[in-house]
Structures are given as structure tokens and as C-alpha cells.
Amino acid sequence: MTTLYMLELRIDLPLLLRFLQGQGLDIRDGDEDLGYGIHAWLAATFGPLAPKPWRLFVGRGRPPRILGYGRADAEQLRRRLRELAEPASAAVCPDPETMIAGKAMPSWRHGRRLGFEVLCCPVGRKAEGGIEKDLFLIRADSAPPGALTRDRVYSDWVRERLERQGACTVTSIRLEGFRLVRQTRRVQGSRHGRGQRHITRPQALLRGELMVGDPEAFASLLCKGIGRHRAFGYGMVLLRPPS
């Protein structure tokens, strides 16, 4: 199996916003998660080498940084940025030698216990109409009043996805954060070309512990992430020591 890398990219946030404005993306009026903007920058800068899934970390007294998984290592990303990125795109990460780092992910043995956390967008599509909607609201539509909680619905949903293909067994899981986030998406169909629209979606942070099952399936799980909107900063499974 091809080596999987964890990449860390530190970015200059004001220059990212300037780059996005140059791309015709106006996110000043409330795109809270910057998901589409970073997706656009990663694609413009690294093309098919861009890490996915990924997650943005901002605050806590540290520079903004992106963590992601990918098949290209840090040096391949640096070379792509130096050789092929346009100036406005390259300026977002002005010192790639120190601002792009990476490491090869290890192979995990069957039975290894690990802690995990995942920031996800728990949505599904209703049977009639196919409209994307908060998974909790979809399930609540057919349940007795008060029978469900977000913790239960989201935890069951994440557990089922983590355990697919025998990748692992989830031994504990809990919802530790929830909010509604306004996101930006590009749309087709305007006579003036591509426009943008804003949507509101749930954002949930879940943490827990798991036991590795099939090592190859587990590596594939890390590589793919879980849930929808993985290209926009959701679904990356981060690992940590178990408690």
C-alpha cells in the first residue's frame, strides 16, 4: 500500500483572504468555517497533491494551520508550490521550507488501542426530494418526541462509519461540541458564470477510543475520512493516546 502522510501547513490568514478575493470569493460576511476558501486554495496551490481530508486549526495562541492526510510527502508539496503555484497562491505559505511539514503514518497492528477525535458534518438526504439536512432532524422526524438526542444520533452515525470494513471497534464515543455553521459554496447556472451561495450545516466534534481491527482497512479509513463535505475540512480522523 502507498505510504500515507500526515501534513501540516501553516498559512498567512490575511493573505489567504486576499487570495480568495482575487478568485471572486467574498467570505467577509460570515463564512464561519473557511472550508470552501481553503479548499479553493489547496486546489490552486497543490492540484492533485492537495491533502484530503484536512482540518483547520485557528486560535489557542498559535498561527493558523491545516492538518491533513495525503499520499504526497512534504517535499512534494513544497516543490509543487515553488514550481507551479501562482504568486498570490504561493504568498499564502511564503516560507514553505518551514511552513510545510509532514511525517509518514505508521502501520497499525490489530488490537492496538487509540484515542480519536473527528470534526464532522452529520447530514443526510431525505428520501423524498433528496434535500440535504441535519441527520438529527431527519431521524427525529420519524421518532417519538424527545426520544432522540444529538449525542446519540451523531455518535451512532460516526461509530457505524468508523467500523466499516472491519477497520476498528469503537469502545467509547461522545459528542463534545456542536454548532450550526454558515458555509460558502460555488454554484453553476448564473448567466454571469459561477456564483456563490451560503448554506447552514451542523458541525459536530466527537471524541472517543477505538481498537484497530483490519490494519489495511484502518489505514484506508484515515486516508478517506468519514461523512460528507470532506473536501471542505470535515471528516479527518485524528489519533491520540488512549486514556
Side-chain angles (χ1 to χ4, degrees):
M1 177 177 286
T2 308
T3 302
L4 179 67
Y5 295 92
M6 173 181 272
L7 291 311
E8 179 174 353
L9 296 82
R10 287 192 285 124
I11 57 174
D12 186 311
L13 205 52
L15 291 177
L16 171 67
L17 297 178
R18 183 182 299 176
F19 164 78
L20 296 177
Q21 289 167 8
Q23 300 295 307
L25 274 171
D26 182 3
I27 61 170
R28 291 170 299 177
D29 60 349
D31 181 12
E32 297 179 23
D33 71 351
L34 282 176
Y36 190 88
I38 291 178
H39 162 72
W41 176 72
L42 288 172
T45 307
F46 303 110
L49 304 183
K52 176 191 169 186
W54 56 267
R55 182 172 160 190
L56 173 67
F57 292 84
V58 179
R60 299 179 183 178
R62 301 179 61 177
R65 63 191 182 111
I66 299 165
L67 285 180
Y69 293 124
R71 295 299 186 186
D73 64 19
E75 179 51 34
Q76 289 176 285
L77 296 187
R78 294 186 200 108
R79 188 182 311 123
R80 173 87 183 200
L81 183 149
R82 287 193 301 263
E83 294 178 349
L84 299 175
E86 295 184 358
S89 176
V92 176
C93 188
D95 185 2
E97 297 303 321
T98 62
M99 297 177 74
I100 299 178
K103 70 166 189 176
M105 293 296 289
S107 298
W108 303 100
R109 63 171 173 79
H110 175 83
R112 173 71 184 274
R113 290 180 59 245
L114 294 164
F116 73 89
E117 73 170 58
V118 57
L119 184 73
C120 57
C121 184
V123 293
R125 292 192 182 279
K126 297 197 68 171
E128 64 278 8
I131 299 173
E132 188 177 88
K133 189 175 179 181
D134 186 333
L135 193 66
F136 170 73
L137 299 180
I138 293 176
R139 301 282 168 80
D141 281 347
S142 56
L148 297 177
T149 65
R150 288 188 186 277
D151 190 345
R152 172 73 178 277
V153 171
Y154 295 164
S155 293
D156 287 349
W157 179 77
V158 169
R159 180 195 301 274
E160 188 273 332
R161 275 152 181 76
L162 291 174
E163 293 183 343
R164 284 181 179 177
Q165 311 298 321
C168 67
T169 299
V170 176
T171 55
S172 68
I173 186 169
R174 59 196 178 277
L175 177 66
E176 292 212 345
F178 167 79
R179 64 180 183 135
L180 296 175
V181 177
R182 196 166 83 148
Q183 305 170 344
T184 298
R185 295 292 184 267
R186 276 273 169 88
V187 293
Q188 301 281 1
S190 166
R191 63 178 179 174
H192 303 296
R194 301 185 73 190
Q196 65 184 56
R197 68 187 177 105
H198 298 291
I199 59 177
T200 300
R201 292 291 182 270
Q203 181 186 89
L205 177 66
L206 291 102
R207 293 193 175 103
E209 294 190 359
L210 56 79
M211 184 179 297
V212 176
D214 180 78
E216 288 195 9
F218 189 70
S220 179
L221 166 70
L222 297 182
C223 181
K224 293 178 180 177
I226 66 167
R228 294 179 57 81
H229 300 280
R230 296 192 302 277
F232 306 109
Y234 295 99
M236 181 184 186
V237 180
L238 288 167
L239 303 175
R240 55 186 173 78
S243 60

